[in-house]
């Protein structure tokens, strides 16, 4: 295989995100990425053998950057994590359009399904690992930290779906209420929770 033009994989991912944002998922092609990056289509194929591989690497790149907001060692700032999730929660969110398009394609592509499953597992684990910075113990008896991590990640993904489908979805209000809910759980007696 010929050597690629002098462009990094990271730069191609950046150009691919820009192309996806401008053209949408329906018109997104490797040729379009090559044109946006000013390289040959062969260069793109050198780094990414398929469109699906490029899309997955774009999701991974965005996930890694968003995980930084909840994965700082010895520190977890709830407001920062909420703001990060909220910032990607828009009616035209390129990240969520890409993510949910990949979810749909994963039903017929086991490779994409496995990789998306790994990304979600990493997000769940990052949330689980950071919950002790919020709660000394689970605020509700019988709900583990792992359960909370999975549930909180599912809530954020569910809000993203609703935002993509409802142009007037009240993002600001719902995220304020989510933050209030999480802080309210923290305020339960002795941070142990119980039936309420």
């Amino acid at each position: 295989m010929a050597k690629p033009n002098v462009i990094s994989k990271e730069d191609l991912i950046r150009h691919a995100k820009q192309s996806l944002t401008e053209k949408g998922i329906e018109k997104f092609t490797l040729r379009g990425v090559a044109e946006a990056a000013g390289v040959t289509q062969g260069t793109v194929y050198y780094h990414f053998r398929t469109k699906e591989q490029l899309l997955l690497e774009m999701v991974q790149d965005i996930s890694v950057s968003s995980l930084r907001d909840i994965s700082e060692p010895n520190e977890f700032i709830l407001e920062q994590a909420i703001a990060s999730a909220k910032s990607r929660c828009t009616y035209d969110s390129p990240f969520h359009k890409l993510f949910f398009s990949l979810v749909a394609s994963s039903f017929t592509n086991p490779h994409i399904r496995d990789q998306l499953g790994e990304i979600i597992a990493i997000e769940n684990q990052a949330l689980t690992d950071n919950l002790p910075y919020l709660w000394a113990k689970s605020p509700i008896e019988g709900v583990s930290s792992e359960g909370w991590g999975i549930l909180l990640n599912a809530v954020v993904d569910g809000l993203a779906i609703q935002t993509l489908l409802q142009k007037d979805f009240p993002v600001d209000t719902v995220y304020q209420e989510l933050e209030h809910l999480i802080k309210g759980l923290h305020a339960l007696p002795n941070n142990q929770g119980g039936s309420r």
Side-chain angles (χ1 to χ4, degrees), residues 122 131 157:
I122 290 168
L131 287 174
D157 286 344

Side-chain angles (χ1 to χ4, degrees), residues 68-70 72 75-85:
R68 285 186 206 119
D69 293 336
I70 59 173
E72 290 297 319
E75 181 180 9
F76 178 73
I77 301 169
L78 176 63
E79 295 81 4
Q80 183 178 338
I82 294 280
S84 174

